[in-house]
Amino acid sequence: MEWFLHQWHGFMIVKLTGYSPERFLNLCNAKDIPIWNLEYRDGGYEFAISLKGFLKIRPLARKSHVRLRVRKRIGLPFFLKENRKRVGFLSGFILFFVLLYGLSLFLWDIQIEGNRKYTYEILTNYLKTQNITLGMQKSRIDCDALEASLRNSFPEISWAAARISGTRLLISIKENEVLSHIPEKDEIPCDLVASKAGVITKLVVRQGKAQVQAGDTVEAGQVLISGTIPIYDDSEQIKQIHYIRADGEVLADTEYEFSETFSRLHTVEADTGKVKHGISLKIGPWSAVFLLPAKEGEEWIYLSQEHQARLFSNFYLPVYWGHIRGRQVEYYESFYTEEEVKQVSEGIYQNFVKNLSEKGVQIIENNVKILEDGTECQMTGTIQTRESIIQVQRITIPEETEKINEHSGEHD
């Protein structure tokens, strides 16, 4: 703070020489004229004194028979005096701070943290529907209302906080890790049938009646666990039939036919070694790119890195610049080598396995072979798997069964 006051009021570095410098310094002290940074240098004393204090020490210098020589003038008053003819410079200096203050009244950056399910684009698009966009006045943003709006519009958001810092809108959210609603239990009577053919390896019945057992071979559509439960009387006659929703777990060894064909001829991208650089500039709604155009027939790939200007950690400005790097490439047709054929086929196979794994299918054995025929490669074979083959099938209750149940109810 003291340094700022010295700069604001102005001060000077003075060289003191003569017969009795000690008497001069004692007189300054007696008159309460502050001096600082007193040093003995080159046969005399140097010290700093304020502009106001310097105007008071001339009588003291004559009285103590010393000489004062100003070595340096520092501070705002001297700066303004030296630049009084540079009106344009001073006007630009003032205009810069006025413009800076004006920019500080607007929003130039939005940061969102804590989001997983909802992407940055989804949330910023929602903010646009709430008339919250870059370039708007910060005073128009109601952070409390925004927090409530986010919680009401996105059920999975359990907590939200919004605040303005500098020229940034900072939004923190927390999403529920559980379902926002509990699905209703389905009680419609159903059988569990085979979704595909296979050999049963595991059977667990939670509700219903098993129609197969481990080791049985089943076909697609065959009932595995029935939701039809007959009730017998003492004479082993069907007294009543209950219909429930069958539930259980059925695993079976299954088989997938695998067949893929790809061309050995492919397009190769090669660098020529030539590169070029450019810059991009964006100020508010205006943008420009400074980059030499490509010649006819040339192929270039460009990579750009954009940065946003800021003065402090949270004082962002609507100014963006970026470095553009381009590399020239050429494309030509080439055949895969034997090693590349193996890599491509392995990639195709692993992608197929990944899709099966995402469905809960376990790979047991792979019998896929690669056949090369001229310009094509064919992958063919079978994949032995183990998976759940249950499929829900609604039960259609026949009229005869309804009559049996009604008749049984009369006797009861």
Side-chain angles (χ1 to χ4, degrees), residues 220-259:
Q222 184 176 338
V223 177
L224 305 175
I225 302 176
S226 175
T228 303
I229 310 297
I231 306 299
Y232 297 92
D233 56 18
D234 296 337
S235 59
E236 296 187 356
Q237 298 294 320
I238 296 178
K239 178 182 179 182
Q240 196 173 7
I241 300 177
H242 288 170
Y243 293 95
I244 62 174
R245 186 177 185 83
D247 184 26
E249 180 182 0
V250 182
L251 298 181
D253 286 346
T254 56
E255 185 177 89
Y256 284 83
E257 295 291 334
F258 183 85
S259 179

Side-chain angles (χ1 to χ4, degrees), residues 101-113:
Y101 173 74
L103 291 174
S104 69
L105 301 177
F106 297 87
L107 179 69
W108 299 118
D109 187 56
I110 298 175
Q111 178 179 329
I112 302 174
E113 60 180 18

Side-chain angles (χ1 to χ4, degrees), residues 22 33 105 222 242 286 299 326:
E22 292 81 6
I33 300 174
L105 301 177
Q222 184 176 338
H242 288 170
W286 300 282
E299 297 285 348

Side-chain angles (χ1 to χ4, degrees), residues 73-346:
R73 295 173 175 84
I74 304 171
L76 182 62
F78 302 110
F79 175 81
L80 294 176
K81 184 178 180 180
E82 291 175 1
N83 295 277
R84 60 183 179 274
K85 295 183 179 180
R86 301 179 183 179
V87 179
F89 173 79
L90 292 175
S91 301
F93 185 77
I94 296 172
L95 181 62
F96 169 77
F97 284 100
V98 172
L99 181 62
L100 198 63
Y101 173 74
L103 291 174
S104 69
L105 301 177
F106 297 87
L107 179 69
W108 299 118
D109 187 56
I110 298 175
Q111 178 179 329
I112 302 174
E113 60 180 18
N115 55 311
R116 294 184 178 180
K117 178 177 180 181
Y118 300 110
T119 64
Y120 181 84
E121 288 73 19
I122 291 176
L123 294 175
T124 51
N125 287 336
Y126 172 75
L127 293 179
K128 291 178 182 178
T129 65
Q130 304 299 306
N131 298 320
I132 297 177
T133 57
L134 297 181
M136 69 176 296
Q137 290 184 351
K138 296 188 300 183
S139 58
R140 294 170 49 198
I141 302 175
D142 187 339
C143 291
D144 292 335
L146 176 59
E147 293 170 2
S149 175
L150 286 170
R151 291 193 298 267
N152 294 333
S153 301
F154 299 93
E156 282 74 15
I157 295 180
S158 59
W159 176 83
R163 64 185 178 92
I164 300 292
S165 179
T167 58
R168 308 176 77 189
L169 172 61
L170 305 178
I171 300 175
S172 298
I173 65 174
K174 184 176 182 181
E175 299 176 353
N176 287 329
E177 298 180 357
V178 297
L179 294 175
S180 58
H181 66 280
I182 300 175
E184 295 182 2
K185 188 176 181 180
D186 193 350
E187 297 292 348
I188 298 175
C190 292
D191 294 329
L192 294 184
V193 301
S195 59
K196 62 184 304 182
V199 178
I200 304 298
T201 59
K202 181 180 179 181
L203 177 67
V204 177
V205 180
R206 300 190 186 94
Q207 190 168 263
K209 185 177 181 180
Q211 302 297 303
V212 294
Q213 59 184 354
D216 289 352
T217 301
V218 298
E219 300 295 330
Q222 184 176 338
V223 177
L224 305 175
I225 302 176
S226 175
T228 303
I229 310 297
I231 306 299
Y232 297 92
D233 56 18
D234 296 337
S235 59
E236 296 187 356
Q237 298 294 320
I238 296 178
K239 178 182 179 182
Q240 196 173 7
I241 300 177
H242 288 170
Y243 293 95
I244 62 174
R245 186 177 185 83
D247 184 26
E249 180 182 0
V250 182
L251 298 181
D253 286 346
T254 56
E255 185 177 89
Y256 284 83
E257 295 291 334
F258 183 85
S259 179
E260 289 286 345
T261 302
F262 63 93
S263 175
R264 287 194 60 190
L265 192 65
H266 68 292
T267 302
V268 178
E269 176 187 298
D271 283 331
T272 64
K274 293 183 179 180
V275 297
K276 61 181 177 180
H277 301 272
I279 58 173
S280 62
L281 182 63
K282 181 180 178 183
I283 303 176
W286 300 282
S287 61
V289 175
F290 303 94
L291 182 68
L292 292 176
K295 296 180 181 179
E296 185 177 354
E298 291 183 344
E299 297 285 348
W300 289 82
I301 296 178
Y302 298 101
L303 178 64
S304 177
Q305 292 182 329
E306 189 175 71
H307 308 276
Q308 186 174 4
R310 66 178 183 179
L311 295 180
F312 312 106
S313 60
N314 286 315
F315 198 115
Y316 281 74
L317 300 175
V319 179
Y320 302 83
W321 75 93
H323 172 249
I324 303 173
R325 183 182 185 276
R327 58 184 180 91
Q328 187 182 19
V329 296
E330 292 180 346
Y331 298 97
Y332 61 92
E333 300 294 325
S334 176
F335 286 97
Y336 285 122
T337 63
E338 293 299 326
E339 185 63 27
E340 290 173 335
V341 167
K342 293 180 180 179
Q343 293 177 359
V344 173
S345 58
E346 180 65 19

Side-chain angles (χ1 to χ4, degrees), residues 9-12 33-34 49-57 78:
H9 295 293
F11 67 97
M12 293 178 287
I33 300 174
I49 187 169
S50 67
L51 177 59
K52 183 178 179 181
F54 182 76
L55 297 177
K56 297 179 181 180
I57 64 174
F78 302 110

